[in-house]
């Protein structure tokens, strides 16, 4: 059974930094894409950053230049380094992985970790 466990969230002042981690276990297949999403109260879940197995990355415009996504394939772990945090970054952050089984995408989500940025 695939499990994703996020860690690293917390309370930080504006301008500060946090590093989120998401460790994946139970996957028998090579993970294609690893990504971070977030959901603020009263808002829809939105994509923050993603990284492919080849290392290609993309970011939401709101976090470009401040957040960095990376992955350690040997550890099946994805990271999100968040710098220059702003109050509007406050949200529950979720990691998501995707791999393919006979060409069919399989998506799995973590349980989420709270990030709160105070002004």
């Amino acid at each position: 059974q695939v499990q994703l466990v996020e860690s690293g969230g917390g309370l930080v002042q504006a301008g500060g930094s946090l590093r989120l981690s998401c460790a994946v276990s139970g996957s028998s297949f090579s993970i294609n894409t690893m990504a971070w999403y977030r959901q603020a109260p009263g808002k829809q879940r939105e994509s923050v950053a993603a990284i492919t197995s080849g290392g290609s990355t993309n970011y939401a415009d709101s976090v470009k230049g401040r957040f960095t996504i990376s992955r350690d394939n040997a550890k099946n772990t994805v990271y999100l380094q968040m710098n220059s945090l702003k109050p509007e970054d406050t949200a529950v952050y979720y990691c998501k992985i995707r791999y393919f089984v006979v060409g069919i995408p399989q998506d799995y989500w973590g349980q989420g970790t709270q990030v709160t940025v105070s002004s």
Side-chain angles (χ1 to χ4, degrees), residues 11-117:
L11 173 65
V12 65
Q13 288 188 331
S17 298
L18 284 174
R19 189 191 194 212
L20 305 183
S21 300
C22 175
V24 182
S25 61
S27 173
S28 301
F29 299 90
S30 177
I31 299 171
N32 182 272
T33 303
M34 306 181 89
W36 289 96
Y37 287 71
R38 67 186 180 187
Q39 187 167 19
K43 295 188 177 181
Q44 288 190 329
R45 191 172 297 188
E46 63 175 358
S47 175
V48 175
I51 184 168
T52 68
S53 56
S56 297
T57 60
N58 63 71
Y59 297 91
D61 287 343
S62 58
V63 307
K64 281 180 182 176
R66 300 188 298 122
F67 290 11
T68 302
I69 189 171
S70 61
R71 62 191 283 175
D72 185 332
N73 291 326
K75 295 182 179 179
N76 272 355
T77 300
V78 61
Y79 306 96
L80 186 68
Q81 178 66 45
M82 306 185 293
N83 299 329
S84 302
L85 282 160
K86 305 175 181 180
E88 50 264 43
D89 294 317
T90 296
V92 178
Y93 284 70
Y94 300 88
C95 68
K96 188 191 87 169
I97 65 164
R98 168 171 288 184
Y99 58 83
F100 291 87
V101 179
V102 291
I104 300 173
Q106 306 289 322
D107 291 342
Y108 292 88
W109 292 85
Q111 81 287 352
T113 185
Q114 177 70 45
V115 171
T116 303
V117 185

